[in-house]
Amino acid sequence: MESPALPDSLAFYFVIRYDGLVKIVTADEIRRLDRAAVQEKGIPGVVLMENAGRAVADLVLERFSPLNGCTVWIACGTGSNGGDGFVIARHLAVAGASVTVQLIGDENRIKGDARVHYEILRRIGVAPGVDAPRDARIKIDALLGTGVKGAPRDEIAAAIDALNATDAPTIAVDMPSGVDADTGASPGAAVRADVTVTFGYPKLGLFLSPGADLAGEIVVSPIGFPWTALESATPYTWLRPGEMRRLLPERPRESHKGMFGHLLVAGGSRGMSGAPAMAARAALRTGAGLVTVAAPQCAQPIIASRLDEAMTVPLLERDGAMAAQSVDQILDLASKMDAVCLGPGMTQQEETQAAICELLRRLDKPVVLDADGLNALARHPESLAGRQALTVLTPHPGECARLLGVDTSAIQTDRIGAVRNAAKRYGSVVVLKGARTLICDGRKDSLPVAVNTTGNPGMATGGSGDTLTGIIGAFVARGMDGFDAACLGVYLHGSAGDIAAASIGPQGMIAGDICEAVPAAILRLMERR
């Protein structure tokens, strides 16, 4: 008999079922909340474990019924995660499945609530053993929980390898075993799950690679407790559609272009006219009322030919790039604008970089800084000293490494730490781009971080970052708070990429496809409830 198939996935989409709050927690925070649920609210731990196991069993029954004669392999450790597995085994056995519980570790180490459920399982006739079935049609990973750090020990690693060796669908309990609940790292063997059922709140490591790639679809179960009744100190949130819908600015029936902001895009150089043009078009597609592009004389006619709806202004130049004398031109233009996007395609010529730093010191309007603007700031971080107006930085990992003076590998190893360090150092809103783009508000002592899950690999193409700069710039020009503008911009940028990929596939996508899909992404968000 063939293994039951999971529902068709959305390929490159991040799939999560969660109707609770937008908070994401660390392992320490979820343990604190668990203790509070038991000690302050009086719900016994054995009940929480029962509810957790039942949540996984219910998912299996929902997706794979009927289970009569279906062999289910449940790999259990000796801790609380294994205790959840014992509950799952009992419910599936009662439902008619042929359950094999493989116990990894000494049964004498099973304590507390897990021991209660272990003994119940034995009394109903399911005896855990050390062997795995050869013909399992469903696999359940209940080996390691959220508190485990480092590479799994040998016997657990062997069980993980065995789970990964067959094609039957795999459901992970709370976290895929071998994945760090806080960082998403997998320093050793790690389970590749098709679905992860996590409890209370989603864990941070489920949103960060490689954990996000190993978790598969994520289903969050409250396991019978109103977690909102407990205060959570986590600074992490997930950008969910409902919250993003509430941030979307209204467009009243009685409107005119002056109500929706005038954005200045300053950038470009010889051979780099596409970057500011892409940012400008994205801003217009996002709903900016007016957009003006200021570019060196050599690039201005090319940009003007690409943008029917935007205004363009030629800047003084030297060797095909912005000259020092153009600073006053830009300052004069910016005085009539609501926000400035600075940096796309500007080059790293010394005179241009100095001009960018001068603009950062003197501009009194909100600035979205990208590309060569970030490179200039990395060389002269003092350029932001004393700046009062909003600054939004939008680095990719390499640019963030330069801003922090570290290697790119250090950024990717700890993306959460990197975005918080950059936001604190520069006192700005920082958007760390990547497969799970992170947004941190460095203006607040708590350094809150939002995690985005829209987007797909097709967006790894030239000009995608310029498009994001324009989207965020449009919202900033409309008067939105910088953190909110960055969050909404990142969410819609990824959503537009998903719409484009669904239409033409991710392989041949270009930044223009993302840009043209922005209105559809906004419409989709407006229709969400």
Side-chain angles (χ1 to χ4, degrees), residues 205-510:
L206 295 172
F207 291 81
L208 304 173
S209 294
D213 304 312
L214 294 167
E217 177 188 356
I218 298 169
V219 176
V220 184
S221 172
I223 59 174
F225 185 79
W227 297 99
T228 54
L230 297 173
E231 182 62 31
S232 174
T234 175
Y236 308 111
T237 56
W238 166 47
L239 300 186
R240 295 179 64 236
E243 189 68 19
M244 295 300 98
R245 171 66 183 86
R246 287 187 284 275
L247 290 180
L248 192 65
E250 296 294 331
R251 205 170 185 92
R253 183 175 297 275
E254 295 295 328
S255 298
H256 57 82
K257 61 180 179 288
M259 296 173 62
F260 305 115
H262 192 164
L263 178 67
L264 175 64
V265 178
S269 58
R270 182 181 293 126
M272 295 289 286
S273 59
M278 190 67 67
R281 183 169 295 281
L284 289 165
R285 286 297 190 189
T286 305
L290 292 164
V291 176
T292 296
V293 180
Q297 289 174 333
C298 62
Q300 181 267 336
I302 302 171
I303 294 171
S305 69
R306 299 182 60 180
L307 296 173
D308 294 334
E309 300 87 358
M311 296 166 281
T312 62
V313 177
L315 298 175
L316 296 171
E317 66 174 76
R318 189 185 308 278
D319 297 328
M322 184 176 71
Q325 295 90 327
S326 64
V327 168
D328 289 335
Q329 287 180 277
I330 293 175
L331 289 172
D332 182 59
L333 286 167
S335 68
K336 307 174 186 70
M337 310 288 176
D338 297 294
V340 180
C341 290
L342 181 63
M346 272 188 161
T347 81
Q348 296 188 48
Q349 290 187 24
E350 185 174 343
E351 184 172 346
T352 301
Q353 294 277 289
I356 293 170
C357 293
E358 181 69 11
L359 285 168
L360 290 175
R361 284 189 287 266
R362 296 174 61 186
L363 274 169
D364 61 357
K365 295 296 178 73
V367 170
V368 181
L369 194 68
D370 189 26
D372 292 316
L374 295 169
N375 291 325
L377 178 61
R379 293 189 182 99
H380 299 283
E382 72 281 359
S383 300
L384 291 185
R387 177 173 164 77
Q388 298 299 311
L390 167 71
T391 308
V392 180
L393 311 181
T394 61
H396 58 56
E399 291 163 341
C400 190
R402 289 190 283 277
L403 288 171
L404 293 176
V406 299
D407 293 333
T408 302
S409 59
I411 303 297
Q412 295 297 76
T413 300
D414 183 9
R415 285 174 56 82
I416 290 287
V419 74
R420 299 185 87 190
N421 287 340
K424 182 177 181 179
R425 177 176 295 188
Y426 292 95
S428 304
V429 175
V430 175
V431 176
L432 178 54
K433 295 179 286 195
R436 295 286 181 267
T437 293
L438 305 174
I439 307 99
C440 182
D441 194 344
R443 302 167 301 172
K444 297 181 178 178
D445 292 339
S446 61
L447 298 175
V449 176
V451 183
N452 183 56
T453 56
T454 60
N456 62 83
M459 300 176 71
T461 183
S464 180
D466 302 311
T467 300
L468 176 61
T469 296
I471 294 171
I472 296 173
F475 288 129
V476 172
R478 291 181 69 171
M480 285 185 64
D481 170 75
F483 185 68
D484 289 345
C487 289
L488 182 57
V490 166
Y491 177 89
L492 287 172
H493 180 250
S495 181
D498 289 340
I499 290 170
S503 174
I504 63 174
Q507 291 292 344
M509 278 175 56
I510 59 175

Side-chain angles (χ1 to χ4, degrees), residues 90-105:
R90 172 164 48 86
H91 283 290
L92 295 185
V94 169
S98 175
V99 176
T100 296
V101 177
Q102 181 189 23
L103 180 63
I104 308 299

Side-chain angles (χ1 to χ4, degrees), residues 2-297:
E2 294 184 359
S3 296
L6 288 164
D8 290 339
S9 70
L10 296 177
F12 33 78
Y13 293 73
F14 181 85
V15 183
I16 182 167
R17 287 169 44 188
Y18 185 38
D19 297 322
L21 291 178
V22 296
K23 290 181 179 178
I24 305 170
V25 297
T26 61
D28 284 345
E29 182 64 8
I30 199 64
R31 283 194 292 272
R32 187 190 71 78
L33 291 171
D34 280 340
R35 287 194 299 271
V38 174
Q39 297 170 8
E40 296 176 20
K41 304 301 180 180
I43 183 168
V46 71
V47 173
L48 288 176
M49 186 172 286
E50 170 70 21
N51 292 348
R54 182 59 189 261
V56 180
D58 285 347
L59 180 134
V60 174
L61 292 167
E62 171 191 329
R63 300 198 176 185
F64 302 121
S65 289
L67 292 181
N68 291 337
C70 179
T71 302
V72 180
W73 169 17
I74 306 177
C76 295
T78 56
S80 295
N81 204 245
D84 298 335
F86 303 147
V87 175
I88 298 165
R90 172 164 48 86
H91 283 290
L92 295 185
V94 169
S98 175
V99 176
T100 296
V101 177
Q102 181 189 23
L103 180 63
I104 308 299
D106 184 354
E107 69 171 349
N108 293 320
R109 297 183 61 186
I110 303 172
K111 306 292 183 183
D113 300 330
R115 189 77 199 188
V116 171
H117 289 292
Y118 177 74
E119 296 297 341
I120 294 173
L121 183 65
R122 292 182 63 189
R123 284 196 291 270
I124 69 165
V126 179
V130 296
D131 297 323
R134 296 182 179 180
D135 58 345
R137 295 177 54 230
I138 301 169
K139 301 173 295 182
I140 296 175
D141 160 33
L143 290 166
L144 301 175
T146 58
V148 178
K149 300 288 184 181
R153 66 180 189 272
D154 291 346
E155 58 182 342
I156 294 288
I160 290 172
D161 290 340
L163 286 169
N164 288 338
T166 67
D167 294 331
T170 303
I171 294 113
V173 178
D174 211 15
M175 289 290 300
S177 293
V179 174
D180 190 296
D182 291 338
T183 67
S186 56
V191 166
R192 293 191 302 271
D194 295 284
V195 181
T196 297
V197 182
T198 196
F199 310 126
Y201 288 106
K203 314 308 183 291
L204 187 57
L206 295 172
F207 291 81
L208 304 173
S209 294
D213 304 312
L214 294 167
E217 177 188 356
I218 298 169
V219 176
V220 184
S221 172
I223 59 174
F225 185 79
W227 297 99
T228 54
L230 297 173
E231 182 62 31
S232 174
T234 175
Y236 308 111
T237 56
W238 166 47
L239 300 186
R240 295 179 64 236
E243 189 68 19
M244 295 300 98
R245 171 66 183 86
R246 287 187 284 275
L247 290 180
L248 192 65
E250 296 294 331
R251 205 170 185 92
R253 183 175 297 275
E254 295 295 328
S255 298
H256 57 82
K257 61 180 179 288
M259 296 173 62
F260 305 115
H262 192 164
L263 178 67
L264 175 64
V265 178
S269 58
R270 182 181 293 126
M272 295 289 286
S273 59
M278 190 67 67
R281 183 169 295 281
L284 289 165
R285 286 297 190 189
T286 305
L290 292 164
V291 176
T292 296
V293 180
Q297 289 174 333

